[in-house]
């Protein structure tokens, strides 16, 4: 992306907010800092942001609800939740509300910076693939960044699409956690990979929510290894015939 990235920080804690804004400015980002949901919505309605760092515990509105409103106002922005609530359900609710990623407090600034950079880079380093991948009723148009299931369009977030595309490229084959983290998020990723599990869960839900459109190919969890997007029984490995079975 060209130019200076515009970041919105929504954080009512003075110590954390000061550390975040000071550190991010020092790395060349333009920062608007707001301590309330009301202030954040005013900022969001006034201009576009590349990325939003959103504390879930705000004084005037639940952070998840604010997340939903920001997502509606700016469909293209990246939202990273900052949460002291590490419970899986809270994270899932936030992702359902439109967040792309989350960080659990306390976190190191270096970890936050790595995530911000990875998200601003925006494009996953996906391997070369056919322009259109067909896995049963699921069609992943890599070039157009479009997914359909039984002909109905599936709305996915940026990272959800990248993740599905990465799995689809090697459909029928196990893809390791390390490969998924490196290709979809960042080549030099460090820290928790729980974001991967949460995105897989969100992806499964979005596909299942297509209802009667068609049965989506399952994403199988391979404990201790990674994930595999399953091919229908009748489908040979069309996209990567040279790869061995796991
Ligand atoms: Ca707070």
């Amino acid at each position: 992306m060209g130019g200076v990235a515009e970041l919105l920080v929504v954080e009512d804690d003075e110590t954390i907010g000061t550390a975040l804004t000071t550190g991010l400015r020092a790395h060349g980002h333009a920062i608007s800092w707001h301590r309330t949901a009301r202030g954040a919505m005013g900022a969001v309605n006034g201009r576009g942001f590349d990325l939003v760092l959103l504390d879930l515990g705000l004084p005037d509105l639940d952070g998840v609800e604010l997340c939903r409103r920001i997502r509606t106002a700016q469909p293209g922005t990246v939202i990273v939740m900052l949460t002291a609530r590490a419970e899986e359900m809270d994270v899932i609710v936030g992702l359902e509300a439109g967040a792309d990623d989350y960080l659990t407090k306390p976190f190191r600034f270096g970890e936050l910076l790595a995530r911000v950079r990875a998200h601003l880079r925006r494009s996953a380093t996906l391997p070369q693939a056919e322009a259109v991948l067909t896995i049963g009723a699921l069609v992943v148009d890599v070039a157009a960044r479009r997914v359909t299931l039984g002909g109905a369009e599936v709305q996915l977030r940026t990272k959800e699409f990248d993740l599905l595309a990465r799995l689809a490229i090697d459909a029928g084959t196990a893809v390791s956690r390390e490969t998924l983290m490196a290709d979809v998020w960042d080549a030099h990723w460090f820290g928790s990979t729980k974001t991967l599990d949460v995105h897989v869960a969100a992806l499964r839900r979005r596909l299942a929510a297509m209802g009667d459109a068609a049965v989506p190919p399952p994403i199988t969890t391979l404990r201790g290894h990674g994930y595999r997007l399953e091919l229908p029984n009748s489908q040979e490995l069309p996209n990567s015939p040279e790869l061995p079975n796991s």
Side-chain angles (χ1 to χ4, degrees), residues 10-13 16 55-59 105:
V10 189
E11 172 61 80
D12 63 316
D13 183 293
I16 296 173
D55 174 37
L56 286 191
L58 294 170
K105 295 176 182 177

Side-chain angles (χ1 to χ4, degrees), residues 174-181 196 225-227:
V175 185
S176 73
R177 302 179 64 85
E178 292 73 23
T179 297
L180 290 169
M181 291 308 294
L196 171 60
H225 181 78
Y227 293 96

Side-chain angles (χ1 to χ4, degrees), residues 68-115:
R68 197 170 285 122
R69 294 184 190 181
I70 293 174
R71 174 55 68 210
T72 302
Q74 295 196 10
T77 194
V78 175
I79 303 175
V80 179
M81 299 181 288
L82 308 176
T83 176
R85 309 179 225 161
E87 293 300 317
E88 181 90 354
M89 275 316 295
D90 289 323
V91 169
I92 288 171
V93 165
L95 289 165
E96 286 290 290
D100 299 281
D101 197 3
Y102 72 97
L103 270 172
T104 305
K105 295 176 182 177
F107 50 81
R108 290 175 300 138
F109 180 75
E111 186 181 5
L112 174 98
L113 188 63
R115 298 256 186 135

